Amino acid sequence: MRQSPRCGAKTRMGTPCQSPAVSGRKRCRMHGGAEGSGAPIGNQNALKHGEYTREAKAFRQHVRELLKDGKEMLDDF
């Protein structure tokens, strides 16, 4: 156990982690060497929703202008 390679990831204290690395990996189980660690494939949190695309902004601006024109026409009556 003492001869096994060490993780070496930087801890909160700024010192290298002294835990043994997972076999076949460079990091310990707490710093990314565990099975299944890391971001999921096809991360759903990173999907774009399209609310701020050029077309969406132009559409919202057009709707605002139509509403403003409609209010002005109603005020003229």
Side-chain angles (χ1 to χ4, degrees):
M1 185 71 161
R2 289 185 180 203
Q3 299 300 322
S4 61
R6 298 292 147 183
C7 171
K10 191 180 285 188
T11 63
R12 293 183 193 180
M13 298 282 292
T15 59
C17 175
Q18 295 299 309
S19 297
V22 175
S23 61
R25 299 195 183 219
K26 293 183 179 183
R27 297 290 182 223
C28 69
R29 63 187 179 86
M30 299 299 284
H31 291 115
E35 189 67 35
S37 62
I41 296 172
N43 187 354
Q44 295 296 313
N45 294 329
L47 290 177
K48 303 291 182 187
H49 49 71
E51 183 157 349
Y52 300 103
T53 61
R54 186 178 303 129
E55 294 83 13
K57 287 180 178 180
F59 177 74
R60 287 194 299 272
Q61 178 65 31
H62 183 66
V63 169
R64 278 194 298 273
E65 290 172 2
L66 288 175
L67 288 172
K68 182 180 174 187
D69 292 342
K71 286 180 184 178
E72 288 175 0
M73 280 199 323
L74 288 175
D75 289 340
D76 290 343
F77 284 117

